[in-house]
Amino acid sequence: MSSQTTAHVPSVTTAASTGSTRGRRAARVALRVVQVLLALFYALASALPKLIAHPSAAESFDKIGWGSAGMYAIGALELAGAVALLVPALQSVAAIALSALMAGAFVVQLTVFDGQNAATPLILIVPLALIAWARRDHNADLLRLVRRHG
């Protein structure tokens, strides 16, 4: 009897699953990078000027008619959303809440500021919607936490 030596040849399904696993990992990493960048944007570029009452922010909120109370409230909501984008159980909800803020910002830009910078909130809604959808499984975790402590 002769012994046969066979070489292990990866099957097409094994190669495809390895490639798709790498692709899924790359997509998760890319999404996380987008979340961190958005969190930094909301915390530093959007919330901070409102929370320190930067003259440009104060002037805008005075023009809207909301004054400093509205400015601080929106700044606090943006900062909370920025932090929540980085907390796994809150990511999807944070993205939805920030999207709602951006929808309001779009309306304000159109009605109070004659459309100046109206595209910015719409552009920000796109990655926020992607985060809300991609991280939607975390909503079940959040619901379990709320029910357990509620």
Side-chain angles (χ1 to χ4, degrees):
M1 289 186 85
S2 67
S3 66
Q4 293 182 345
T5 306
T6 59
H8 176 67
V9 178
S11 69
V12 174
T13 55
T14 303
S17 68
T18 302
S20 67
T21 300
R22 257 186 265 140
R24 281 192 298 260
R25 184 179 180 337
R28 281 194 313 269
V29 169
L31 186 62
R32 190 65 169 165
V33 167
V34 169
Q35 285 177 245
V36 169
L37 291 174
L38 280 172
L40 287 171
F41 170 80
Y42 278 105
L44 301 176
S46 196
L48 184 62
K50 294 171 183 82
L51 295 174
I52 65 169
H54 188 274
S56 64
E59 182 182 312
S60 293
F61 277 85
D62 285 341
K63 186 172 182 179
I64 296 169
W66 293 358
S68 61
M71 178 180 63
Y72 291 128
I74 297 295
L77 289 171
E78 289 175 337
L79 183 58
V83 171
L85 277 175
L86 303 176
V87 177
L90 300 175
Q91 295 168 346
S92 180
V93 172
I96 292 166
L98 286 169
S99 293
L101 273 177
M102 291 303 96
F106 174 72
V107 170
V108 168
Q109 291 295 329
L110 285 180
T111 58
V112 178
F113 297 103
D114 300 321
Q116 184 182 8
N117 300 319
T120 302
L122 293 180
I123 291 167
L124 289 168
I125 286 174
V126 173
L128 289 169
L130 176 65
I131 292 165
W133 180 80
R135 304 294 194 204
R136 69 192 181 280
D137 293 342
H138 292 292
N139 292 339
D141 299 334
L142 179 60
L143 189 56
R144 275 191 294 279
L145 282 171
V146 169
R147 285 184 178 159
R148 187 177 342 149
H149 297 290

